[in-house]
Amino acid sequence: MARDDEAVTGFVEQSAATLTNAGFPKMPARVLMALMASEEGGLTAAALADQLGVSAAAISGAVRYLQTTGIIRRVAQSGSRRDRYELPDDPWYAASVNQNPVYLLLAALADQGVRAIGDAASAASQRIDEMGRFYRFMNDRMPALLEEWERLRAQQ
């Protein structure tokens, strides 16, 4: 079956829009999904800008964001001044592993918020406390989920 470039573009844009609606920044979402759909396994900033119809500055900010989350990596191309941006073998796993420290930070911030409000029985304190408990739960459960994912992935 031949690649349907129009359908692939639709996939990239719809997936990016879904990620954006879930709170992911728009341009990093578009870059991420363009890389996911790339047959080459990676693209230069110029190729990404051309494919997405955006400026080099927009790509620069997006790849910087994606690099800090561990979802993509920059690879120097020998004989060229241009870098290539690639996904690791399992970008979702890499992103999840890198988010783990954020869970405890958000839980600690929730504790600060409850203390700042000064009334543990207030509605605001209860909402913030729930946030802290949720992120502690995520922090505690994420390692087991990631191990399970590794086992499932190895079976394929």
Side-chain angles (χ1 to χ4, degrees):
M1 186 167 157
R3 182 178 173 105
D4 181 343
D5 288 332
E6 188 174 317
V8 171
T9 298
F11 159 77
V12 167
E13 295 302 331
Q14 288 175 343
S15 299
T18 300
L19 287 172
T20 300
N21 288 337
F24 204 87
K26 182 178 181 177
M27 190 52 59
R30 291 184 72 208
V31 168
L32 171 61
M33 297 317 297
L35 289 170
M36 291 292 293
S38 167
E39 290 296 335
E40 296 82 25
L43 297 167
T44 64
L48 284 163
D50 184 53
Q51 179 178 334
L52 297 174
V54 298
S55 69
I59 297 299
S60 177
V63 297
R64 189 172 31 258
Y65 176 87
L66 293 168
Q67 285 179 283
T68 62
T69 62
I71 296 176
I72 68 168
R73 63 178 173 245
R74 182 175 63 187
V75 178
Q77 293 184 347
S78 59
S80 173
R81 291 179 28 201
R82 292 188 175 182
D83 292 325
R84 182 177 161 100
Y85 297 96
E86 298 179 351
L87 297 165
D89 289 338
D90 189 352
W92 309 113
Y93 174 84
S96 296
V97 167
N98 286 333
Q99 291 302 315
N100 230 13
V102 172
Y103 300 146
L104 287 179
L105 176 60
L106 288 168
L109 288 169
D111 294 343
Q112 285 178 357
V114 170
R115 283 193 304 274
I117 291 170
D119 177 8
S122 80
S125 286
Q126 290 177 3
R127 283 192 301 272
I128 295 170
D129 181 64
E130 174 81 7
M131 179 183 105
R133 288 186 295 120
F134 172 76
Y135 283 114
R136 282 187 183 84
F137 170 83
M138 292 296 292
N139 186 70
D140 292 345
R141 293 293 178 94
M142 190 56 70
L145 285 173
L146 293 175
E147 286 176 23
E148 183 179 350
W149 171 245
E150 285 181 31
R151 283 192 308 275
L152 286 171
R153 191 168 181 246
Q155 292 173 2
Q156 295 178 358

